[in-house]
């Protein structure tokens, strides 16, 4: 079964701690994306990667970091510099930037 | 700036038809997507329009007018499971996907 997995589904952290969210896909897609969604708002792009070992900042990259060492994996680190990290984080992939994006189930991060 | 507008919330009756509108102002246009998102879940792809006209897919249809910067999603024979948010997204000239805030559709029996 091809798809995108994100783990964990719920994550709780204390303020000041870095946390890494995992995203793995076995769709053989080149492009991968990280979005943040807050209640009542649309998706906001954090980072995206069109190819291994390359990634670009999205609209709200401050306080986040990513890596793309393997085609299948695109982990997102939420650093302590991110002022409002509590949100629903969605990872997506697509075969090409012109094609539809497939989403993982999301990780709901709560920082207190 | 780039902007996508959708109504925040709509209510419809089971078995009826509803039209969700989306207007956009973007730097260039390379396609428009509609996604469905149930509460607490990930968005799922519904339709893609790049040329003017109507695309029909079962109970769902999507229309595009590039000259007017306008699209709509038409849902027929509404079912309770259609209660969800519907997201409009446009690919701009740099192939960046610009997302609307979504329309929450409430279906009443």
């Amino acid at each position: 079964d091809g798809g995108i997995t994100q783990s964990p589904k719920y994550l709780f952290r204390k303020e000041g701690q870095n946390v890494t969210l995992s995203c793995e896909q076995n769709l053989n897609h080149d492009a991968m994306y990280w979005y943040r969604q807050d209640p009542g708002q649309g998706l906001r792009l954090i980072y995206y990667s069109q190819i291994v070992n390359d990634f670009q900042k999205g609209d709200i990259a401050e306080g986040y970091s990513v890596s793309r060492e393997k085609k299948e994996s695109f982990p997102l680190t939420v650093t302590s510099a991110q002022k409002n990290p509590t949100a629903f984080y969605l990872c997506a992939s697509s075969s090409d930037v012109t094609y539809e994006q497939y989403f993982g189930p999301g990780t709901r991060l709560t920082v207190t | 700036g780039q902007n996508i507008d959708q109504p925040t919330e709509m209510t419809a009756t089971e078995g009826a038809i509803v039209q969700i509108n989306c207007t956009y102002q973007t730097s260039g246009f390379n396609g428009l997507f509609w996604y469905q998102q149930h509460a607490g879940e990930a968005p799922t792809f519904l339709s893609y329009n790049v040329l003017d006209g109507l695309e029909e897919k079962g109970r769902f249809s999507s229309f595009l007018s590039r000259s007017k910067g306008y699209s709509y999603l038409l849902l027929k024979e509404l079912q309770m499971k259609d209660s969800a948010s519907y997201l409009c997204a446009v690919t701009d000239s740099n192939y960046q996907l610009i997302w609307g805030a979504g329309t929450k559709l409430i279906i009443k029996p």
Side-chain angles (χ1 to χ4, degrees):
Chain A
D1 254 347
I4 302 179
T5 57
Q6 290 184 247
S7 60
K9 191 166 179 64
Y10 298 95
L11 190 55
F12 298 88
R13 278 294 183 270
K14 294 289 187 185
E15 202 172 300
Q17 293 178 332
N18 290 356
V19 59
T20 297
L21 282 58
S22 77
C23 177
E24 304 278 332
Q25 55 100 357
N26 60 4
L27 299 167
N28 199 33
H29 285 170
D30 285 314
M32 296 188 75
Y33 313 81
W34 272 106
Y35 292 96
R36 169 183 174 138
Q37 188 174 37
D38 294 285
Q41 296 192 32
L43 303 181
R44 292 188 289 168
L45 184 65
I46 304 172
Y47 269 98
Y48 66 101
S49 167
Q50 296 185 25
I51 198 168
V52 175
N53 292 323
D54 187 51
F55 47 83
Q56 281 78 41
K57 293 181 179 180
D59 300 321
I60 55 166
E62 186 175 346
Y64 300 97
S65 66
V66 293
S67 63
R68 185 88 186 276
E69 296 175 3
K70 298 186 301 181
K71 187 175 186 177
E72 302 79 20
S73 179
F74 192 41
L76 173 75
T77 297
V78 184
T79 74
S80 56
Q82 168 48 235
K83 296 193 188 319
N84 296 298
T86 294
F88 187 44
Y89 290 89
L90 287 159
C91 179
S93 72
S94 64
S95 58
D96 181 88
V97 291
T98 60
Y99 287 85
E100 70 266 25
Q101 295 181 13
Y102 292 82
F103 287 83
T107 294
R108 193 166 297 278
L109 173 65
T110 302
V111 177
T112 57
Chain B
Q2 310 210 84
N3 193 51
I4 295 184
D5 287 314
Q6 306 178 234
T8 303
E9 187 174 295
M10 299 181 70
T11 302
T13 304
E14 191 177 14
I17 298 173
V18 70
Q19 178 176 310
I20 302 174
N21 295 325
C22 170
T23 58
Y24 61 89
Q25 299 90 37
T26 56
S27 55
F29 178 86
N30 279 300
L32 184 144
F33 295 86
W34 283 97
Y35 284 80
Q36 180 190 59
Q37 185 178 26
H38 285 99
E41 297 182 10
T44 55
F45 169 76
L46 287 178
S47 68
Y48 173 68
N49 295 71
V50 65
L51 300 176
D52 289 351
L54 187 68
E55 294 278 344
E56 297 187 77
K57 196 185 286 187
R59 294 189 298 115
F60 293 8
S61 303
S62 56
F63 171 83
L64 174 67
S65 169
R66 288 173 297 171
S67 63
K68 295 182 179 177
Y70 167 70
S71 173
Y72 67 73
L73 182 68
L74 191 71
L75 291 74
K76 304 176 185 175
E77 301 169 16
L78 286 170
Q79 302 175 11
M80 297 304 292
K81 67 178 181 180
D82 297 331
S83 292
S85 288
Y86 291 86
L87 311 177
C88 174
V90 172
T91 306
D92 69 11
S93 57
N94 294 320
Y95 292 95
Q96 295 299 305
L97 199 56
I98 313 300
W99 293 84
T103 298
K104 183 178 180 180
L105 178 62
I106 299 168
I107 310 296
K108 295 187 175 179

